[in-house]
Amino acid sequence: MPYDEPLRLPAAAIPDDCRDWTSGRAAGWSAALPPRWTFLRVRRSIAGAVTTLAFCAGAWAAMLGGLWPFVAAGFAVYVLWVLARPELVWAGAPALLLALAMEAPSQPWVVTAVVAFVVVVSWVVVAVRLRARGAQIDQALDAASEGTARTPDADAKVLRGRFLLPLGLVVLGLGVLTGATARLWGTADDRRVSWVLAFYLAGLGVTAIASAWLGRHRAVALRRTPAPVLRVLVRDDAQGTTEVYASDDLAALRPLFTVDLTSYDGDEEDDEADGDDEPGADEELERLLDAADDDTPGPVREAVLYGAPFDGAEVVVLSADEDSDQPPLTEWSTGPVRPLSPGAGARRIAKEKAREEQNRQLAEQARESVVDRVPAPVRRWSAGWLDWVAAALLVQWGGWLAWSGITGSDLSLWKLTLVVALGLYGAVRVPVKLAWRITADRSGLWVTGLGGPRHVPWDDIRSVRRRSFELKLRWRDDDWSVAAPRWAWFERRRGLVHPYDALAAELSAMRTDPALRPTGESTVPERGRPLWPLAVVLALVWAALLVVLG
């Protein structure tokens, strides 16, 4: 979406000798990026899904084919490193090849050859990706020339890695605990799967710890000496990720890279306890949540980029605040720089514009439908066939897992515990999917739940959004959500509107314009019944099935 004028950064905040990173200078940096087949920019969801699939395949091979648990789990962790943490592949590939060689006599040669081939090829791919980083750094340094400066937060406490490090230690501890208790499981297959899980958790823990160390090491190095500086433009996308543009790309047409930033610093951490008691703390939190729920990108802002950007780099950004009365905003990266090729950047902007246009059309259609409709005392929405499909899929998935767990020759304690927990989860979630209801009247919304309908005044509603498969209603201090299948490509091709999109658009129109809201008061039956009786019935049915089948 084009902008006439970016938010200006005060001249006093711009370091001396700071050069503009224009589109011409940035073209060389983009040309230095590695090819797409090097897994330069894999979505986190895809990396997680592929890694989980590799883990499941490895556990199956360990249980049925006698594969060494270390190899089964190690390959899944190695897949994660190839896609998301390529620096660790240099250690992981030789270790995995050595383990394969030790395991080769007990495995079919075809399996060993295929896995070894995948490891070697991916190792070469990662080498190409890592080698390109040097060229990216050279291009960035050439663009910055002699312009260097200390980062604005050079003397502040470096907080990079403060979350991943303890998380990694906890996950590593869980892996050790799982391995230590593996002998307690009933069958040999259970013990092998337990060891696969133990090595997998240990690998995830090591990954988190290594990521925390790498991020912190690069963040400290960035602040230790004067860093290269470049004038750029930045913008926060609809999800809160910062996009960095060339300084002359005023229309924000081609992002160079994205990075997750935060302005949380050490001083704020010290004052956190005091800030929670201040009257404005809750309002500030609500403002941040409102910004996160906003489906439109932020304004283009002038900024100074500290640090030479490359695939995986840590940076500091000093930018103009969206509030003109506030001083420039200093933010540091909480994740690595993720470059965008020219084609990927253009596709990203095209998708963003298409999403904005779709949201605009939905909002207009919803408003027109409300305006043209005869004012109703009460308006209601409830679960439809897509929600029933979602409930059926959830029951089918849970039933398959339970059946595979209780029909074996030996029903161990952990399997029984898993099946019971799965049934309780389904008993709580299925009633919501089958019988949710939102009722709107002049006082606000009534949202069904296990304990009965909850009342949400109109003034307390913060946002109504459809994100991916989920419809989420957020109000002051709480939220509610429900999920159903969605196929965006098919909807666009056929010109269809998902029921969640229509509901969110209509409720958003009512929220912003009181004249569009219902005029009457809803009755108790109209607001819906408590869903806990249905949950109890489902839980009892599940328990009866376990007794009969067990």
Side-chain angles (χ1 to χ4, degrees), residues 25-317:
R25 292 170 180 164
W29 183 85
S30 296
L33 297 178
R36 291 181 60 185
W37 48 263
T38 58
F39 310 113
L40 176 63
R41 192 181 176 89
V42 178
R43 294 181 182 177
R44 295 182 179 92
S45 59
I46 294 179
V50 174
T51 302
T52 302
L53 180 62
F55 167 73
C56 294
W60 192 267
M63 185 172 59
L64 300 181
L67 185 65
W68 190 20
F70 176 82
V71 176
F75 183 75
V77 176
Y78 177 79
V79 169
L80 176 63
W81 291 356
V82 170
L83 299 178
R85 185 50 71 185
E87 297 90 345
L88 302 181
V89 170
W90 292 107
L96 192 55
L97 289 175
L98 179 61
L100 282 172
M102 297 173 61
E103 183 77 355
S106 61
Q107 296 295 323
W109 70 268
V110 176
V111 175
T112 303
V114 169
V115 176
F117 176 78
V118 172
V119 173
V120 172
V121 170
S122 59
W123 192 0
V124 173
V125 168
V126 168
V128 174
R129 176 179 174 180
L130 295 180
R131 183 181 179 83
R133 290 182 175 181
Q136 298 166 42
I137 295 174
D138 292 340
Q139 289 291 332
L141 293 177
D142 182 64
S145 187
E146 301 297 327
T148 60
R150 295 290 301 277
T151 62
D153 61 345
D155 297 326
K157 181 180 179 181
V158 177
L159 301 178
R160 184 74 167 95
R162 62 174 179 167
F163 172 73
L164 282 179
L165 180 59
L167 176 64
L169 292 174
V170 170
V171 176
L172 181 60
L174 289 175
V176 173
L177 179 62
T178 303
T181 58
R183 68 182 68 179
L184 301 179
W185 303 122
T187 66
D189 288 343
D190 289 343
R191 289 192 291 271
R192 293 186 70 85
V193 172
S194 179
W195 274 112
V196 174
L197 179 60
F199 284 121
Y200 181 67
L201 290 174
L204 294 182
V206 170
T207 303
I209 294 172
S211 298
W213 182 86
L214 281 171
R216 183 176 180 83
H217 175 74
R218 290 170 178 167
V220 170
L222 177 63
R223 291 159 175 80
R224 185 179 296 121
T225 59
V229 289
L230 290 165
R231 291 189 65 177
V232 295
L233 297 175
V234 298
R235 182 184 68 169
D236 295 336
D237 68 6
Q239 286 72 44
T241 299
T242 300
E243 299 170 337
V244 177
Y245 297 85
S247 59
D248 55 353
D249 188 4
L250 303 181
L253 297 177
R254 218 286 272 172
L256 300 171
F257 62 85
T258 62
V259 62
D260 293 321
L261 300 174
T262 182
S263 59
Y264 193 76
D265 56 28
D267 294 336
E268 291 173 344
E269 185 182 43
D270 295 338
D271 297 335
E272 182 179 4
D274 297 336
D276 289 343
D277 296 332
E278 295 178 0
D282 292 339
E283 286 75 5
E284 178 64 15
L285 177 60
E286 290 294 337
R287 186 187 70 81
L288 293 175
L289 291 174
D290 290 342
D293 275 342
D294 192 357
D295 280 339
T296 59
V300 177
R301 298 171 286 137
E302 287 187 345
V304 175
L305 177 68
Y306 290 82
F310 63 89
D311 172 27
E314 300 288 329
V315 294
V316 172
V317 175

Side-chain angles (χ1 to χ4, degrees), residues 193-483:
V193 172
S194 179
W195 274 112
V196 174
L197 179 60
F199 284 121
Y200 181 67
L201 290 174
L204 294 182
V206 170
T207 303
I209 294 172
S211 298
W213 182 86
L214 281 171
R216 183 176 180 83
H217 175 74
R218 290 170 178 167
V220 170
L222 177 63
R223 291 159 175 80
R224 185 179 296 121
T225 59
V229 289
L230 290 165
R231 291 189 65 177
V232 295
L233 297 175
V234 298
R235 182 184 68 169
D236 295 336
D237 68 6
Q239 286 72 44
T241 299
T242 300
E243 299 170 337
V244 177
Y245 297 85
S247 59
D248 55 353
D249 188 4
L250 303 181
L253 297 177
R254 218 286 272 172
L256 300 171
F257 62 85
T258 62
V259 62
D260 293 321
L261 300 174
T262 182
S263 59
Y264 193 76
D265 56 28
D267 294 336
E268 291 173 344
E269 185 182 43
D270 295 338
D271 297 335
E272 182 179 4
D274 297 336
D276 289 343
D277 296 332
E278 295 178 0
D282 292 339
E283 286 75 5
E284 178 64 15
L285 177 60
E286 290 294 337
R287 186 187 70 81
L288 293 175
L289 291 174
D290 290 342
D293 275 342
D294 192 357
D295 280 339
T296 59
V300 177
R301 298 171 286 137
E302 287 187 345
V304 175
L305 177 68
Y306 290 82
F310 63 89
D311 172 27
E314 300 288 329
V315 294
V316 172
V317 175
L318 178 69
S319 63
D321 196 283
E322 293 186 19
D323 186 351
S324 58
D325 295 330
Q326 296 296 322
L329 180 65
T330 300
E331 297 175 295
W332 50 272
S333 54
T334 59
V337 165
R338 294 168 60 82
L340 285 160
S341 66
R347 289 191 296 271
R348 180 185 180 91
I349 297 301
K351 289 181 181 179
E352 189 173 83
K353 290 182 177 180
R355 183 174 60 249
E356 291 178 8
E357 178 63 20
Q358 182 186 30
N359 292 340
R360 186 189 64 79
Q361 292 179 357
L362 284 172
E364 290 181 355
Q365 293 173 6
R367 184 176 181 84
E368 291 174 357
S369 65
V370 176
V371 171
D372 296 339
R373 186 188 305 127
V374 177
V378 177
R379 181 83 169 96
R380 287 183 297 173
W381 301 266
S382 59
W385 68 273
L386 278 177
D387 300 282
W388 303 334
V389 170
L393 292 175
L394 179 62
V395 171
Q396 182 183 24
W397 172 75
W400 177 79
L401 287 180
W403 179 262
S404 62
I406 65 178
T407 54
S409 58
D410 184 16
L411 181 59
S412 59
L413 178 61
W414 77 270
K415 285 184 178 180
L416 181 61
T417 303
L418 177 62
V419 170
V420 171
L422 198 64
L424 293 177
Y425 173 79
V428 171
R429 292 303 302 167
V430 170
V432 177
K433 290 181 176 295
L434 289 176
W436 67 263
R437 179 187 294 182
I438 298 177
T439 304
D441 59 19
R442 67 181 181 183
S443 65
L445 301 180
W446 296 87
V447 184
T448 55
L450 293 178
R454 301 181 60 181
H455 183 243
V456 184
W458 285 109
D459 291 340
D460 287 353
I461 300 174
R462 297 307 184 199
S463 64
V464 186
R465 294 282 185 268
R466 193 273 308 153
R467 291 285 178 84
S468 186
F469 301 101
E470 184 182 57
L471 171 68
K472 187 170 185 178
L473 170 64
R474 190 174 66 82
W475 61 88
R476 189 185 299 273
D477 300 328
D478 207 349
D479 57 52
W480 174 91
S481 63
V482 67

